Amino acid sequence: MTGERPLVGAFSVDVEEWFHAENVRTAAPPERWSELPSRVEGQVERLLDLLDAHETAATFFCLGWVAERRPALIRRIAERGHEVASHGHDHRMLGELGPDRFRDDLARSKAALQDASGVAVLGYRAPTWSIGPATDWAFDALVEAGYRYDSSVFPVRHDRYGDPSAPIVPHRVRRAGGSLVELPPLVRPLLGMNLPAAGGGYLRLLPFGWTRAAVARAVRSGRPVMLYVHPWEIDPDQPRVSLPLLRRWRHYAGLGRVEGRLGRLLAAHRLGRAIDLVEAFERREEEETGIPTATAAASSAASPGGPR
Ligand SMILES: [Zn+2]
């Protein structure tokens, strides 16, 4: 039975509208967002049903923008047993925001998510994986804002994001003001490189065997798996905007096959919430060092009524 299998990783959903994706930004700029058709509610409901069917609790990294407009959806995610975490406020990449506006973005999204869900937000994922060597000041802001973990550094080489020198397993990031746990998305080491295999576009655009083998290999070696998907990636009926060829392929190709592939992954492996991986990591850390993590985590015990 599902409940008896060991947890091998986490499943996550980056909750945003189809028009928040970096690939469609030129055709759907922020000034037009309020007039574009919203699809996120139906998409998330389908993902919630899929997760129920596989008795899986996941982490939903939600935009504050979505929470301000659809608080009932965020509450429903929490009520159905999932973790609500932050994907920032309005999907600006961190390099574009800079440290000060990032702090505002973090505070606004956390407030909207905690108001909507009624539970404390402990995790963060940057829009478009935009924490890397040039934006590592983000960790200071996250520690300051009381986040216990982050899942934003893709340990790969990519034209838009990533840090190929970053660890590919959960690890602690220490900064002057404190520390947090980093949960990298799944990669497949091959010929001295780390190649992305964490879901999203990689699940949609590449043959399914690529992801399936990457997950199997990580599970065999005891490396926790972190998978993700966007709600719009299971929606072939979303509105189409005109895009240059590469962006069009990146956003629209393979939308019809993602739900089936997710179902097969969820049937084959027991995945949980990001916070479950953090807790497992901290237990191991305590065993190895003999130092209780509570001292590190205490400063990040955010509560909905507490300071934001
Ligand atoms: Zn996103």
Side-chain angles (χ1 to χ4, degrees):
M1 285 308 291
T2 313
E4 291 160 11
R5 294 183 297 167
L7 204 65
V8 297
F11 185 77
S12 63
V13 182
D14 291 358
V15 178
E16 59 193 44
E17 294 278 7
W18 60 271
F19 47 80
H20 289 125
E22 198 58 30
N23 283 314
V24 302
R25 199 171 183 92
T26 43
E31 320 71 273
R32 288 192 51 213
W33 287 354
S34 58
E35 70 205 39
L36 293 171
S38 168
R39 305 275 303 174
V40 72
E41 197 136 19
Q43 297 161 351
V44 167
E45 289 291 350
R46 272 168 56 198
L47 286 170
L48 289 171
D49 289 345
L50 179 71
L51 290 166
D52 273 357
H54 294 281
E55 299 174 41
T56 300
T59 293
F60 286 69
F61 293 96
C62 308
L63 282 187
W65 193 95
V66 172
E68 284 182 359
R69 284 156 184 82
R70 310 200 167 260
L73 176 65
I74 306 301
R75 178 167 287 271
R76 209 147 56 240
I77 292 169
E79 282 171 354
R80 286 178 69 167
H82 304 286
E83 180 187 9
V84 171
S86 170
H87 192 36
H89 186 71
D90 59 2
H91 218 265
R92 294 282 157 85
M93 289 178 77
L94 269 54
E96 196 187 318
L97 280 175
D100 291 341
R101 282 164 65 207
F102 176 57
R103 282 182 169 80
D104 296 343
D105 181 279
L106 265 187
R108 187 168 174 192
S109 82
K110 196 175 197 182
L113 292 168
Q114 292 186 161
D115 286 350
S117 68
V119 292
V121 165
L122 303 173
Y124 176 75
R125 172 167 294 150
T128 324
W129 310 104
S130 57
I131 299 184
T135 49
D136 68 344
W137 41 258
F139 290 122
D140 299 311
L142 287 165
V143 164
E144 226 173 80
Y147 283 88
R148 189 161 154 202
Y149 74 91
D150 173 70
S151 180
S152 308
V153 183
F154 219 135
V156 295
R157 203 175 291 285
H158 183 277
D159 60 348
R160 252 184 226 147
Y161 52 72
D163 177 0
S165 68
I168 66 170
V169 290
H171 56 282
R172 187 165 289 282
V173 175
R174 294 175 201 282
R175 307 292 291 186
S179 72
L180 50 67
V181 177
E182 176 65 30
L183 302 174
L186 180 67
V187 297
R188 185 172 173 187
L190 196 70
L191 306 170
M193 283 186 297
N194 297 326
L195 300 172
Y202 307 105
L203 179 64
R204 190 157 48 83
L205 304 172
L206 303 176
F208 183 47
W210 173 255
T211 306
R212 204 170 38 190
V215 173
R217 183 174 166 168
V219 169
R220 269 200 311 276
S221 61
R223 179 159 52 92
V225 169
M226 168 58 82
L227 295 177
Y228 77 98
V229 71
H230 300 98
W232 52 262
E233 287 184 295
I234 59 159
D235 184 8
D237 301 325
Q238 66 189 276
R240 306 271 165 149
V241 290
S242 137
L243 296 171
L245 191 61
L246 177 64
R247 285 173 180 243
R248 189 161 72 223
W249 179 74
R250 276 182 171 174
H251 192 83
Y252 294 121
L255 293 171
R257 52 185 177 231
V258 171
E259 207 169 344
R261 290 179 173 186
L262 289 177
R264 289 168 69 184
L265 288 170
L266 292 169
H269 303 283
R270 189 172 156 242
L271 299 170
R273 306 168 306 164
I275 193 71
D276 299 325
L277 290 193
V278 172
E279 282 169 1
F281 173 83
E282 288 179 343
R283 274 196 301 276
R284 222 170 33 248
E285 199 175 39
E286 275 186 43
E287 282 163 17
E288 283 166 14
T289 62
I291 302 165
T293 314
T295 33
S299 61
S300 53
S303 71
R308 287 163 179 152

